[in-house]
Structure formats: C-alpha cells, structure tokens
Amino acid sequence: MRLLIEFSLSLLPCKAITIETPQGFPYQGKRISTEKICGVSILRAGETMEQALCDVLKDVRL
C-alpha cells in the first residue's frame, strides 16, 4: 500500500530544491508545490490505505 501511495504522490506538481546534507554535500530533491493535502476515505476500499497515507504524509488530514 505504501508504494501505491508514494507513486500517487509523485504525480502531484513538484518543484526542484537543493539541500545540504549533514556531510556537506548538495542533494537535488523535490518538494510538493501544493500547500495543503487532505485524504478522503472511500468506504470499504479506501479504509485500508488510511494508515499508509498517514505514514507517508505525517500531517495529512483525513
């Protein structure tokens, strides 16, 4: 389930960012361009994905 959630999030609009690692090396990454994301639980089928979504996005609202 978590892989499915991560794949779905990769389809959202992102912007490129560069951060510096604790070792001092630059790392090219991506950050989601949207400010707010909420999850909507679909009865019976979507309930199983709630925990995976909360694991991937810690502050997501359901």
Side-chain angles (χ1 to χ4, degrees), residues 19-27:
I19 62 167
E20 187 173 324
T21 65
Q23 293 80 18
F25 297 107
Y27 176 79

Side-chain angles (χ1 to χ4, degrees), residues 1-50:
M1 286 296 161
R2 188 172 177 160
L3 184 62
L4 178 62
I5 298 293
E6 289 178 6
F7 172 74
S8 300
L9 291 174
S10 71
L11 300 175
L12 292 174
C14 296
K15 58 184 175 181
I17 62 167
T18 303
I19 62 167
E20 187 173 324
T21 65
Q23 293 80 18
F25 297 107
Y27 176 79
Q28 299 291 328
K30 293 182 180 179
R31 179 170 287 166
I32 296 175
S33 297
T34 59
E35 291 183 22
K36 295 182 181 180
I37 296 178
C38 72
V40 178
S41 180
I42 299 171
L43 294 178
R44 295 174 49 146
E47 250 177 64
T48 58
M49 289 193 243
E50 285 181 11

